[in-house]
Amino acid sequence: MIITNQGAETRGLRRAVRRHPARVFVLLAYVLTWSVWIPRALVSQGVLTARWPMILGDYWAWGPALAAVITAALAGRGALRELGGRLVRWRVRWWWYPLVLLGPGAYWWFIYLTAVPAGWSDHLRQPLPLTEGLAAALPLLLVLCLTDGLGEETGWRGLLLPRQLEHAGRLAASCLVGVIWAL
């Protein structure tokens, strides 16, 4: 019978995570998300007939958040507290709110107004607020905030970006996170 020292193994794992939290996060985020997205792609191509990838995939924007929480928990209580603090800290000026809330609609109108003279308007689908009213768009906004906002951004901008900013400038760190996210 082989007896191992699990306490020493746990300490070694925690030490490795503390030294390389960004690498651990990226690896976990890829494993968690690709384990669902690859089967989901296979289902959409008719190669796989299972239903679980399609069902789980609807909620799988939480993969990066789960990877961030696991990484922070392994790194220690301070890292977990820091990650949680980033979720409630708002450091933007007031004028960003109208830009973020009205920007997508303004962009759609710009595309629509330039596409109509070109004869491309038949291919454009009107956004939900224009077809169903603003009341129909609010639940969609809430769902997107809870899935994409908390699910994706907790990992990429809550854990990975601050680690990259320790070693690079804002532009370089943001571009690196963008490339990692795109993969």
Side-chain angles (χ1 to χ4, degrees), residues 100-120:
V100 167
L101 293 173
L102 300 175
Y107 178 73
W108 184 88
W109 273 109
F110 171 76
I111 296 298
Y112 185 76
L113 293 174
T114 56
V116 169
W120 300 333

Side-chain angles (χ1 to χ4, degrees), residues 31-57:
V31 167
L32 289 171
T33 56
W34 289 355
S35 66
V36 173
W37 288 111
I38 290 173
R40 188 177 167 120
L42 293 173
V43 168
S44 70
Q45 295 299 311
V47 176
L48 188 64
T49 59
R51 295 232 341 108
W52 70 265
M54 303 311 279
I55 295 167
L56 193 55

Side-chain angles (χ1 to χ4, degrees), residues 117-129:
W120 300 333
S121 61
D122 295 344
H123 302 291
L124 295 176
R125 186 170 161 259
Q126 289 187 344
L128 191 62

